[in-house]
């Protein structure tokens, strides 16, 4: 339901309409699949239909002779190419670096998951390529599949990568030095609550499947890759430097309109390297458009943790210690950021909103014969939040305490707060978001609503939880120490045109988030010009400064900060020009509403007159200032940002069928300052829908042979409009971030992080209230069948 | 998709002739067949579209008061045009798939395919309908012969289905969360001479009649009449979305709900 937002009509705090929606909603966006180059050929991949096997032979002769076929590629063609690189190296409990297998562009010697590409056929048309792909004869000796993570690290398990000698990628302890203290705290505890749970594997399913078009200009030696990416510069660096050996100045990566990513389009994929390579080999543009069924088995999946968490409390309910043991599925190869997700994006968040003095997190990352697993909306933080908020709920029940009071008793209240898991929360007010939640969720009316449900024969439950997340990734030096092989700054160039319009070239990438609108609002606010005087350019390495792209709710906090820095430089210079024009001193010049004026006088000059002077420097202090008005800035954050909030979910459970209906959902989020309240609402809405999807519907499931049982929408349930209620969201509790210029924290992932525990807590609450007192936990997704089965065990 | 020829005859006779060619296949609304073609799971030499055959489209009443529906009639048309005559049937058709599926998919295609989770088979079996083809009439009890298996011969076309209209009827569909086909669904139809209960989505043998429930409900058409009955889990479908026990349980729950709703 639309609601009245801040009354401002432009700038920071205005609910400006998303300008990009005009093209998205009228079918005039330009997506990668809309790019068709002259003379373009098409590729179809031959993919493994077994999870694990030795490749004895790949016979391409018949395929190569098929109509329209230009060439059939196999692993042998990539002998000189590097493997798909991993961008993060984790060091284990014992000081050893993680096991890092080679990830070839096309399977070499072995296939390691259903969907692993073995050969690639390039032909004049896609249909011809596909026909010929079927004629490629692959002789595979099938091997037993490694699927179950715990079995995978037993001594007798088959190996996904023979040369590694183990399926254990790393065994990480955090903080290893805390372990003894944590164990001691458990021994001394009054009460210990233990919960074993599964954080279900998810398939991202962005609306737009992945696409890649490679182009090569042999006259100049320039490569261009058009791709569905959240971070074109990262792809340029990874693919250029590590895979194909193309220097960055000869490689342009363009990520035009991108139809959703949710993490799955961060990573560098083999298909991108393939089309780039093949375009040069064939001197023809080569295009790949992923089929939806292909994306199920080639896009990196998300989550897939199996966890045991223990919470130690004293008699009053003060948290004494947390200890966790998690098995994290890496899949068959290490995707770009995979190792960081269950470690630095998960272990560091295990304190949640609470002051628990002792925390120890153990994570065993395991290779299996499944699609690689990597960051997916929230990435590690949903996994941390889910286990923590579930175990707290369980502890409250076991100790006969109110779940809200138990949380409040343990809230962090003084900031900055350094957790025992190595992060410093700069600011927050968890009581405030909880107070607000109680108000907007109408807890007072719950009993009456429960009685109404009971009249219909339905069991109503109420679930609440808190969350905290670390966004705005990330301080480069810190992540460097933690194993990142990249910096995580962001960049922007602010170019002012002679007539006063502004173009911002940002290293952030928008694939649905609305940056073109919200970034323009910031510039509009800073200069005092209309938003339509500002254009945001992103997604092309040829015309944007080196940037790290968009994920981890980092765009406004890091990319926005870079833009503010660059705009500040521009304004400072413009102020000097204005001072010259007004014959005053810089220090006396004020910029307001697009006008420079001399403080305390009525002398002023318009923004446009100053910008014109910058480019037509006739009356201009050329001896002191260069002409032109364009500045670039890089911003490297000094800390993460810590959005936090409290969520409430009300469900009805049908006791006869186990069907769960989400009736009400309320979210209070502290995102710090807000640029566009409407866009923030939308981000939270989308995140909640994804969270409900994970909690109730979505389940990527493999059988023991490594076949993906949920390989299409026939079995993989995405949330639909009627699976979700209207949401009540509030972000009026604002503790601005203390260390970035806008005081912003980031809002892109909160919904997906905070929602799953709220839903599961609500279902367990409904069953408990109905007398199913043995039902203390049900693993996600809480499908009707699972909920019903849980009720049968009484 | 593999390459195929495409013909669009305007009469049943011409369609049957075209289907006489080797590996020719009928195309109804394409809502099952087109996805199979796209996944290269089918490779007909010729697709014989039934879309231009007016004589197999439409809904009417015959002299015996039966609702007669052409084999090429879409689900959307049935939802609209059968509503006045046989509301439970129209409601069932109105909940198949989404609007696009309902505007393309046909009664004949659904019955020829006989998906174990499809809706129409339950309606046809519970209604004791007659499936009429270009060569014969087939009683519902003889038509369904297990998952994806029917009494149809190669090249035989469903031209019409005649549904006796029950005194009371209701269809309870419990949807599979992903596909929204029936995870289990029950069609209950009460006729003057007895009650018929057909179950879809549950059994590995496809649609079936729950005869114990029919007997009990014929004596007393109340949900309570089912109290002492249970459905064995043996032979029920076991998949990601439900165990055999769960499906067996749903059969009873949904039958009770259908009886209550039919009134
Ligand atoms: C997204 C989606 C959701 C769906 N949800 C449901 C649902 O909830 N419940 C449900 O019951 N179904 C559902 N369906 C299936 C839908 O009802 C199909 O329309 C139906 O199964 C097939 O009908 P069709 O006319 O499209 O047949 P087609 O796909 O054209 O053909 C199917 C088969 O029937 C044969 N055939 C077609 N017409 C005739 C005829 N007149 N005589 C003999 N053989 C014929 C064809 O040769 C082919 O073998 C869904 C489908 C989709 C795509």
């Amino acid at each position: 339901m639309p609601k009245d937002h801040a009354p401002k009509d432009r700038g920071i705090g205005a609910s400006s309409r998303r300008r990009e929606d005009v093209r998205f909603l009228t079918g005039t966006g330009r997506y990668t699949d809309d790019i068709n180059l002259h003379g373009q050929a098409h590729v179809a991949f031959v993919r493994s239909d077994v999870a694990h096997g030795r490749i004895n032979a790949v016979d391409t002769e018949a395929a190569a002779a098929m109509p329209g076929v230009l060439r059939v590629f196999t692993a042998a063609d990539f002998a000189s190419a590097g493997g798909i690189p991993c961008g993060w190296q984790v060091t284990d409990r014992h000081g050893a670096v993680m096991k890092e297998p080679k990830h070839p562009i096309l399977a070499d010697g072995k296939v390691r998951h259903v969907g692993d590409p073995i050969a690639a056929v390039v032909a004049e048309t896609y249909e011809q390529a596909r026909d010929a792909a079927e004629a490629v004869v692959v002789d595979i000796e099938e091997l037993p599949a490694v699927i179950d993570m715990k079995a995978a690290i037993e001594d007798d398990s088959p190996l996904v990568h023979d040369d590694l000698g183990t399926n254990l990628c790393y065994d990480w302890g955090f903080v290893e030095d805390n372990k003894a203290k944590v164990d001691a705290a458990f021994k001394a505890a009054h009460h210990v609550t233990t919960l074993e749970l599964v954080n279900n594997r998810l398939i991202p399913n962005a609306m737009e499947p992945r696409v890649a078009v490679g182009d090569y200009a042999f006259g100049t030696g320039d490569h261009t890759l058009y791709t569905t990416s959240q971070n074109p510069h990262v792809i340029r660096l990874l693919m250029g430097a590590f895979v194909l050996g193309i220097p960055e100045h000869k490689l342009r990566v363009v990520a035009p309109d991108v139809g959703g990513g949710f993490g799955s389009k961060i990573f560098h994929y083999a298909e991108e390297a393939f089309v780039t390579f093949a375009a040069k080999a064939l001197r023809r543009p080569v295009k790949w458009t992923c089929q939806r069924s292909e994306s199920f088995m080639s896009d990196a999946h998300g989550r897939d943790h199996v966890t045991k968490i223990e919470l130690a409390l004293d008699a009053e309910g003060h948290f004494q210690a947390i200890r966790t043991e998690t098995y994290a599925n890496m899949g068959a190869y290490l995707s770009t950021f995979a190792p960081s997700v269950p470690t630095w994006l998960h272990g560091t968040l295990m304190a949640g909103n609470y002051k628990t003095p002792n925390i120890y997190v153990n994570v065993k990352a395991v290779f299996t014969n499944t699609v690689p697993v990597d960051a997916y909306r929230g990435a590690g933080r949903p996994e941390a939040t889910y286990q923590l908020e579930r175990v707290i709920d369980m502890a409250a029940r076991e100790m006969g305490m109110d779940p809200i009071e138990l949380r409040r008793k343990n809230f962090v209240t003084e900031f900055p707060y350094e957790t025992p898991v190595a992060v410093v929360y700069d600011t927050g007010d968890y009581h405030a978001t909880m107070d607000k939640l109680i108000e907007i969720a109408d807890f007072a009316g719950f009993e009456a609503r429960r009685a109404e449900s009971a009249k219909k024969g339905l069991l109503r439950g109420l679930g609440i939880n808190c969350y905290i997340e670390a966004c705005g990734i990330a301080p480069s030096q810190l992540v460097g120490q933690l194993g990142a092989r990249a910096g995580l700054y962001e960049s922007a160039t602010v170019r002012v045109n002679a007539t006063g319009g502004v173009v911002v070239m940002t290293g952030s990438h928008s694939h649905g988030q609305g940056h073109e609108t919200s970034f323009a609002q910031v510039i509009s606010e800073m200069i005092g010009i209309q938003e339509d005087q500002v254009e945001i350019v992103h997604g092309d390495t040829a015309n944007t400064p080196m940037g790290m792209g968009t994920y981890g709710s980092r765009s406004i906090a890091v990319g926005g900060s870079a833009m503010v820095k660059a705009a500040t430089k521009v304004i400072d210079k413009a102020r000097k020009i204005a001072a010259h024009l007004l014959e005053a001193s810089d220090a006396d010049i004020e910029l307001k509403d697009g006008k420079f004026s001399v403080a305390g006088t009525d002398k002023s000059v318009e923004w446009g007159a100053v910008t014109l002077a910058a480019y037509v420097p006739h009356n201009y202090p050329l001896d002191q200032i260069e002409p032109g008005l364009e500045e670039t800035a890089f911003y490297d954050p000094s800390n993460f940002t810590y959005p936090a909030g409290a969520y409430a979910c009300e469900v009805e459970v049908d006791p006869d069928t186990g069907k769960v209906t989400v009736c009400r959902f309320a979210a209070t989020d502290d995102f710090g300052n807000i640029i566009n309240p409407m866009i923030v609402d939308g981000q939270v809405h989308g995140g909640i829908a994804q969270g409900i999807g994970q909690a109730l519907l979505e389940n990527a499931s493999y059988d023991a042979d490594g076949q993906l049982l949920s390989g299409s929408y026939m079995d993989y349930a995405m949330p639909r409009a009627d699976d979700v209620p209207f949401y009540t969201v509030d972000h009026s509790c604002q503790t601005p971030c203390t260390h970035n210029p806008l005081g912003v924290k980031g809002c892109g992932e909160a919904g997906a992080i905070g929602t799953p525990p709220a839903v599961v807590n609500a279902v367990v609450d409904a069953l408990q209230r109905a007398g199913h007192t043995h039902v203390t936990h049900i693993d996600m997704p809480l499908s009707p069948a699972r909920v019903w089965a849980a009720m049968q065990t009484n | 998709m593999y390459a195929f020829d495409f013909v669009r005859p305007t009469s049943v006779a011409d369609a049957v002739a075209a289907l006489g060619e080797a590996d020719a296949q009928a195309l109804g609304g394409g809502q099952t067949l087109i996805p199979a073609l796209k996944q290269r799971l089918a490779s007909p030499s010729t697709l014989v579209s039934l879309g231009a055959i007016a004589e197999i489209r439409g809904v009417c009443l015959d002299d015996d008061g039966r609702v007669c529906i052409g084999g090429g009639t879409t689900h959307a048309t049935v939802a609209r045009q059968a509503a006045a005559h046989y509301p439970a049937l129209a409601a069932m058709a109105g909940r198949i798939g989404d609007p696009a599926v309902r505007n393309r998919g046909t009664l004949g295609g659904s019955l020829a395919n006989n998906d174990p989770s499809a809706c129409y088979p339950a309606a046809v079996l519970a209604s004791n309908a007659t499936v009429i083809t270009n060569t014969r009439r087939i009683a519902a009890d003889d038509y369904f012969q297990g998952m994806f298996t029917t009494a149809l011969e190669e090249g035989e076309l469903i031209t019409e289905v005649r549904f006796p209209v029950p005194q009371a009827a209701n269809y309870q569909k419990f949807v599979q969360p992903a596909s929204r086909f029936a995870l289990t669904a029950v069609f209950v139809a009460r006729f003057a001479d007895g009650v018929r209960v057909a179950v879809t989505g549950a059994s590995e043998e496809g649609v079936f009649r729950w005869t114990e429930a029919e007997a009990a409900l014929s004596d007393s058409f109340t949900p309570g009449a089912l109290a002492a009955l249970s459905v064995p889990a043996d032979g029920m479908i076991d998949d990601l979305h439900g165990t055999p026990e769960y499906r067996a349980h749903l059969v009873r729950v949904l039958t009770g709900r259908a009886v209550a709703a039919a009134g």
Side-chain angles (χ1 to χ4, degrees):
Chain A
M1 266 170 276
K3 67 179 191 209
D4 264 350
H5 287 299
K8 275 184 88 168
D9 65 352
R10 68 160 178 83
I12 292 176
S15 281
S16 304
R17 296 252 180 105
R18 292 179 16 131
R19 54 174 71 176
E20 43 272 86
D21 286 346
V22 175
R23 65 180 194 275
F24 294 161
L25 297 179
T26 57
T28 52
R30 187 167 181 261
Y31 295 88
T32 309
D33 197 42
D34 295 321
I35 293 170
N36 292 299
L37 302 178
H38 182 68
Q40 143 188 306
H42 299 262
V43 59
F45 289 93
V46 178
R47 294 183 183 275
S48 179
D49 54 11
V50 302
H52 193 195
R54 206 167 301 289
I55 304 172
N56 290 329
V58 183
D59 182 351
T60 60
E61 205 180 309
M66 301 265 293
V69 173
L70 298 170
R71 189 166 153 188
V72 184
F73 294 81
T74 63
D77 295 297
F78 293 92
S80 62
I84 304 296
C86 178
W88 204 298
Q89 185 178 56
V90 166
T91 302
D92 78 3
R93 293 173 57 188
H94 314 292
V97 297
M98 68 185 191
K99 297 280 188 300
E100 193 169 355
K102 183 168 181 188
H103 182 181
I105 294 172
L106 295 175
D108 192 4
K110 261 179 117 178
V111 288
R112 296 188 174 86
H113 66 85
V114 170
D116 208 0
I118 302 167
V121 181
V122 182
E124 297 290 345
T125 69
Y126 174 70
E127 290 296 328
Q128 288 173 331
R130 192 125 182 238
D131 284 344
E134 287 181 10
V136 173
V137 184
V138 187
D139 174 6
I140 292 183
E141 174 195 340
E142 201 173 339
L143 299 168
V146 180
I147 301 300
D148 179 79
M149 285 192 276
K150 290 182 182 170
I153 58 173
E154 296 291 327
D155 286 343
D156 59 353
S157 172
L159 295 175
V160 179
H161 297 276
D162 306 309
D163 51 334
L164 299 183
T166 173
N167 292 319
L168 184 65
C169 176
Y170 55 75
D171 181 5
W172 185 75
F174 189 63
V175 174
E176 197 59 29
D177 294 343
N178 291 353
K179 190 169 188 310
K181 258 172 57 196
V182 170
D183 291 346
F186 270 92
K187 285 216 180 76
H190 168 80
H191 184 88
V192 174
T193 297
T194 305
L195 174 60
E196 294 188 37
L197 52 81
V198 173
N199 203 294
N200 41 326
R201 180 185 276 244
L202 304 176
I203 300 177
N205 280 306
M207 214 188 292
E208 175 206 30
R210 288 189 295 119
V211 182
V213 188
D215 191 22
Y216 179 69
F218 69 90
T220 59
D222 289 335
H223 295 262
T224 305
L225 169 67
Y226 302 89
T227 184
T228 47
S229 176
Q230 302 177 212
N231 31 240
H233 285 95
V234 176
I235 302 305
R236 185 178 66 164
L237 179 62
L238 291 178
M239 185 178 81
F242 298 98
V243 187
L244 298 178
I246 305 169
E248 283 167 280
H249 61 281
K250 299 306 272 182
L251 174 58
R252 172 180 170 205
V253 178
V254 185
D257 285 336
V258 173
F262 311 109
S264 71
K265 292 172 182 166
I266 298 172
F267 324 121
H268 174 41
Y269 288 96
E271 295 88 355
E272 295 171 321
F274 178 82
V275 297
T276 307
F277 180 91
K280 182 176 182 188
L282 297 168
R283 292 196 176 181
R284 296 268 302 264
V286 175
K287 181 173 193 172
W288 174 68
T289 300
C290 190
Q291 304 290 304
R292 180 63 72 181
S293 46
E294 206 176 3
S295 76
F296 271 79
M297 53 181 172
S298 66
D299 293 1
H301 293 177
R303 317 274 194 262
D304 204 349
H305 286 191
V306 175
T307 292
K308 176 178 171 188
I309 179 167
E310 298 164 284
L311 173 64
L313 305 97
D314 72 10
E316 285 81 48
H318 297 110
F319 301 165
Q320 302 298 302
I322 292 167
R323 186 165 58 195
T324 75
E325 184 186 25
T326 287
Y327 293 80
N329 208 333
M330 295 285 103
Y333 304 100
L334 291 180
S335 176
T336 311
F337 286 118
S340 68
V341 175
T343 51
W344 303 110
L345 293 175
H346 162 256
T348 50
L349 273 299
M350 277 320 302
N353 311 54
Y354 314 101
K355 42 186 189 227
T356 308
N358 302 295
I359 300 179
Y360 178 73
V361 179
N362 174 240
V363 178
K364 296 174 181 74
V366 182
F367 293 111
T368 59
N369 291 119
T370 61
V371 170
V373 181
D374 205 330
Y376 170 66
R377 199 172 193 172
R381 293 151 290 173
E383 294 90 322
T385 304
Y386 180 64
Q387 52 182 290
L388 185 60
E389 294 295 328
R390 283 290 301 123
V391 83
I392 292 172
D393 239 48
M394 200 171 189
R397 190 163 288 118
E398 287 176 358
M399 296 182 72
M401 296 180 68
D402 178 78
I404 296 178
E405 288 317 309
L406 179 59
R407 286 176 168 87
R408 284 194 189 271
K409 189 172 277 200
N410 289 283
F411 275 161
V412 171
T413 50
E414 279 161 32
F415 298 88
Y417 174 75
E418 183 171 355
T419 72
V421 275
V423 286
V424 180
Y425 301 163
D426 60 338
T427 175
D429 186 345
Y430 309 144
H431 284 294
T433 42
M434 184 59 86
D435 292 343
K436 193 76 191 173
L437 182 74
I438 289 169
E439 174 195 328
I440 67 168
D442 183 27
F443 285 7
F446 174 72
E447 279 306 332
R449 292 191 293 274
R450 194 167 98 85
E452 279 304 307
S453 300
K455 278 191 206 152
K456 297 183 284 179
L458 300 172
L459 318 177
R460 199 174 187 104
L462 170 63
I464 59 108
N465 61 266
C466 302
Y467 78 89
I468 184 162
E469 57 164 329
C471 294
I473 48 178
S476 293
Q477 291 183 349
L478 172 64
V479 298
Q481 286 162 20
L482 305 183
R485 289 164 168 161
L488 284 168
Y489 50 80
E490 197 47 83
S491 65
T493 296
V494 173
R495 174 180 298 162
V496 184
N497 294 322
T499 53
V502 179
V503 182
V504 179
M505 275 95 22
T506 168
S508 295
H509 186 276
S510 186
H511 30 282
Q513 294 89 342
H515 296 173
E516 290 167 36
T517 303
S518 54
F519 279 36
Q521 289 178 247
V522 174
I523 296 293
S524 162
E525 181 79 28
M526 290 179 75
I527 300 176
I529 54 177
Q530 294 302 315
E531 289 169 17
D532 64 7
Q533 293 301 298
V534 187
E535 194 71 19
I536 307 297
V537 173
H538 62 90
D540 185 346
T541 59
N543 60 18
T544 56
M546 170 72 180
M548 297 309 291
T550 287
Y551 38 82
S553 306
R554 69 192 299 274
S555 297
I556 198 68
V558 190
S561 296
M563 177 178 70
V564 169
K565 262 181 89 175
T568 303
K569 290 189 202 175
V570 158
I571 291 168
D572 286 348
K573 181 171 175 184
R575 178 179 289 115
K576 289 201 178 84
I577 302 169
H580 172 85
L581 296 175
L582 294 167
E583 295 173 341
S585 131
D586 306 358
D588 296 334
I589 303 291
E590 288 170 350
L591 171 59
K592 194 162 178 275
D593 294 334
K595 201 183 274 186
F596 288 100
S597 48
V598 183
T601 73
D602 59 358
K603 279 169 58 178
S604 69
V605 55
E606 295 288 336
W607 168 254
V610 173
T611 62
L612 190 65
Y615 289 94
V616 186
H618 296 165
N619 173 14
Y620 196 88
L622 282 169
D623 52 336
Q624 290 158 41
I625 337 176
E626 294 170 13
L629 204 45
E630 170 167 335
E631 300 288 346
T632 294
F634 284 68
Y635 174 81
D636 203 287
S638 60
N639 190 358
F640 295 89
T641 63
Y642 298 95
Y647 283 19
C649 175
E650 273 179 45
V651 297
E652 282 178 343
V653 179
D654 181 337
D656 293 329
T657 64
K659 175 153 176 59
V660 175
T661 304
V662 179
C663 317
R664 293 167 66 94
F665 202 101
T668 53
D669 296 286
D670 174 359
F671 294 134
N673 293 334
I674 303 279
I675 308 299
N676 181 319
M678 179 190 69
I679 287 181
V680 170
D681 281 358
Q683 289 290 311
V684 175
H685 290 178
I688 296 173
Q690 270 171 303
I692 291 174
Q694 168 161 32
L696 297 182
L697 298 162
E698 300 184 46
N699 187 21
S701 178
Y702 283 94
D703 71 10
D705 296 328
Q707 294 294 331
L708 184 58
L709 297 175
S710 50
S712 78
Y713 291 137
M714 289 301 280
D715 288 298
Y716 189 87
M718 293 295 288
R720 293 161 162 96
D722 62 358
D723 289 314
V724 298
F726 284 102
Y727 315 110
T728 308
V729 305
D730 181 282
H731 25 77
S732 63
C733 300
Q734 298 177 355
T735 59
C737 170
T738 58
H739 54 81
N740 65 39
L742 291 168
V744 291
K745 298 185 179 180
C747 66
E749 296 160 298
I753 294 168
T755 297
V759 177
V760 178
N761 287 348
V763 173
V764 172
D765 181 66
L767 299 188
Q768 287 279 339
R769 287 176 193 261
H772 293 282
T773 50
H774 64 290
V775 182
T776 54
H777 178 70
I778 307 172
D779 272 328
M780 302 187 290
L782 274 63
S783 64
R786 287 187 179 182
V787 174
W788 178 80
M791 289 190 284
Q792 302 317 301
T793 52
N794 226 3
Chain B
M1 265 184 220
Y2 298 109
F4 51 80
D5 290 328
F6 183 78
V7 294
R8 197 171 150 84
T10 51
S11 71
V12 171
D14 287 350
V16 169
L19 285 167
E21 301 292 319
D23 295 328
Q25 191 171 4
L27 176 70
Q31 296 304 294
T32 298
L33 187 50
I34 301 282
L37 292 173
K38 281 186 170 172
Q39 289 175 53
R40 301 186 157 220
L41 297 172
S43 52
S45 59
T46 305
L47 276 189
V48 181
S49 169
L50 309 181
I53 308 176
E55 60 185 294
I56 62 166
R57 277 207 303 269
V59 178
C60 65
L61 282 187
D62 74 1
D63 294 344
D64 301 327
R66 290 181 297 187
V67 177
C68 304
I69 305 178
T73 311
T74 63
H75 310 326
T77 302
V78 173
R80 275 195 308 273
Q81 297 186 7
H85 315 302
Y86 192 167
L89 180 70
M92 184 255 0
R95 282 197 63 201
I96 293 176
D98 50 45
V101 170
R102 293 194 290 275
N103 281 312
R104 298 290 313 170
T106 65
L107 167 59
S110 179
L111 292 181
N113 194 47
N114 191 20
D115 188 299
S117 304
C119 301
Y120 261 121
V124 168
L125 192 58
S127 307
N128 197 14
T130 304
V131 177
I132 300 174
T133 75
N134 56 312
T135 58
R136 56 186 169 139
R137 295 163 181 241
I138 311 170
D141 284 319
D142 300 326
Y143 178 83
F144 300 103
Q145 303 192 345
M147 282 200 173
F148 298 110
T149 314
T150 69
L152 290 180
E153 305 283 347
E154 190 100 337
E156 191 173 359
L157 282 182
I158 297 173
T159 52
E160 184 181 329
V161 180
R162 291 194 186 154
F163 292 87
V165 179
Q167 296 165 335
N170 185 262
Y171 180 61
Q172 289 287 321
K173 178 183 184 183
F174 192 79
V175 300
Q176 193 256 56
S179 71
R180 296 206 171 172
F181 275 65
L183 193 150
T184 289
V186 177
F187 201 109
V188 170
R190 179 188 193 186
F191 293 93
D193 58 352
V195 174
R196 288 173 68 106
V197 177
V199 180
T200 187
S203 168
E204 290 179 334
E205 300 297 318
V207 67
F208 70 95
R209 282 171 63 190
W210 185 16
T211 47
E212 291 85 349
E214 292 181 351
L217 292 170
S218 296
D219 282 346
S220 160
F221 195 67
T222 59
L226 304 167
L229 302 184
S230 66
V231 185
D234 284 357
M236 293 285 162
I237 295 170
D238 190 3
D239 64 13
L240 271 182
H241 311 287
T243 57
E245 292 71 26
Y246 181 57
R247 284 187 160 88
H249 166 79
L250 283 182
V251 172
R252 204 169 64 104
V253 169
L254 297 173
T255 306
R257 289 182 179 182
V259 171

